[in-house]
Amino acid sequence: MAVSRPAPAHLSATPADRPVYVVGAGPGGLAVAHALRARGVRAVVLEKADRVGASWRGHYDRLHLHTTRRLSALPGLRIPRRSGRWVSRDDVVRYLEKYAEHHELEIVTGVEVFRVERAADGEDGGWLLHASGGRELTGSAVVVATGHNHTPHVPDWPGLKEYAGEFLHACRYRNAQPYAGRDVLVVGAGNTGAEIAVDLVEGGAARVRLAVRTAPHLVRRSTLGWPAQYTGVLVRRLPVRLVDRLARPVARLCLPDLSAHGLPRPDTGLYTRVREGAIPVQDVGLIDAVRRGKVEVVAAVEGFEGGKVVLADGNRVAPDAVIAATGYARALEGLVGHLGVLDERGRPVVHGPRTPAGAPGLYFTGFTNPISGMLRELARDATRIARAVTAGLDGARRRARR
């Protein structure tokens, strides 16, 4: 069975047999831990929450994967067929729990890692982790898997601190029940904002507005039984300009023009946007809701003033509640920012089996949002990272014998 218990006051390993520490017990961390264990490498997963899959447990009730069951499984265990093609949030959580148990992963809960730095005992001395409770843990390698959606991000809007109306980040939204019969403004037209807006409409909200700064690319989750993810897998390695050109006529053929409703077709190509970090919005009812006027598209939010929300076009609205689907920060600066391994946007400069220059033995997984599906790429990265870690450990052992 997986070890899932509060951490002891001190964890230790002999210098000759230091474990690989995996920070985070989400899908990426669990997949890497299994891949390492399958290669005979001891991997200890450190999780600050009390259970695996903590971020998944906090998502809204109606959430289903936009990637297929078959292409969302982690190495070594299929997602049960009873979960359906589009797996629900609760089934994802159950799968992660089963995954940890099935592979007998070594997971220690209640441990938050605050800082990672090179150990002091030489080139092959590994890594020192500073964790909650004053713990100092030394590992032969470290895999950071704290997740793409780590810390809720809210823009620094003028007047927000003085705003007395109901305001919440999308991470606190669960379902539409508290908003039945109410006027709600959803800020942000990514997948989360689009799906929350639809959920509010279906849940009986009196009025739903969606504040949009940049019109997103919309895609059907499935067309004639062909999932959008399959196309993403096929085109991922193609040149960006080619995919952009191919996507335009497909969008005109498969999707209505919503320009009259405030959602014009984007000027920037679909794959160009993906490379910039903006994944297309998969339609789970937004297109129909916008066409029927159930979701009203309005201008972006510029600030808050006098109890109202100020929009970019100068209009002011006074909704009963504002839900900010404004994304998340990676929040890696305190953990590894001092190592020079992050870019100007706070993202790892490399991920998967590659390690940053000057930081051998430090790996990152789960900090990209690929068009081919995050879970699919996490699964592929896990095997590659395990292979790279094993090669690194073998090299260290050979040097130690000289």
Side-chain angles (χ1 to χ4, degrees), residues 33-158:
H34 161 62
L36 288 167
R37 193 174 188 276
R39 286 179 166 264
V41 177
R42 183 185 174 209
V44 179
V45 182
L46 304 176
E47 169 55 50
K48 70 176 182 178
D50 60 351
R51 294 173 292 181
V52 303
S55 64
W56 283 92
R57 298 174 191 274
H59 288 311
Y60 47 92
D61 293 348
R62 71 172 279 152
L63 177 68
H64 284 70
L65 294 180
H66 290 165
T67 54
T68 65
R69 179 188 72 251
R70 188 173 67 83
L71 294 187
S72 300
L74 303 179
L77 186 67
R78 294 180 179 178
I79 300 175
R81 293 190 63 179
R82 63 176 177 273
S83 297
R85 192 178 206 188
W86 313 106
V87 184
S88 72
R89 175 203 65 186
D90 291 346
D91 280 343
V92 170
V93 170
R94 281 189 283 268
Y95 171 71
L96 295 179
E97 292 173 337
K98 180 65 177 177
Y99 191 86
E101 178 182 355
H102 177 79
H103 291 304
E104 300 180 333
L105 303 181
E106 188 174 353
I107 303 169
V108 185
T109 59
V111 173
E112 182 173 5
V113 180
F114 299 116
R115 184 179 174 90
V116 176
E117 59 188 33
R118 292 299 301 269
D121 50 348
E123 180 183 352
D124 295 324
W127 292 89
L128 178 65
L129 288 73
H130 299 271
S132 53
R135 301 175 182 88
E136 293 187 349
L137 316 174
T138 305
S140 57
V142 174
V143 182
V144 179
T146 50
H148 191 269
N149 297 338
H150 185 274
T151 301
H153 168 72
V154 176
D156 188 19
W157 284 309

Side-chain angles (χ1 to χ4, degrees), residues 311-366:
L311 303 180
D313 59 4
N315 286 322
R316 285 167 165 74
V317 296
D320 298 319
V322 178
I323 300 173
T326 46
Y328 295 80
R330 311 293 85 78
L332 291 170
E333 288 79 5
L335 187 68
V336 296
H338 56 285
L339 298 171
V341 298
L342 305 178
D343 66 16
E344 66 280 357
R345 297 173 61 183
R347 303 171 303 182
V349 293
V350 297
H351 68 278
R354 294 184 294 162
T355 58
L362 180 63
Y363 301 86
F364 296 88
T365 186

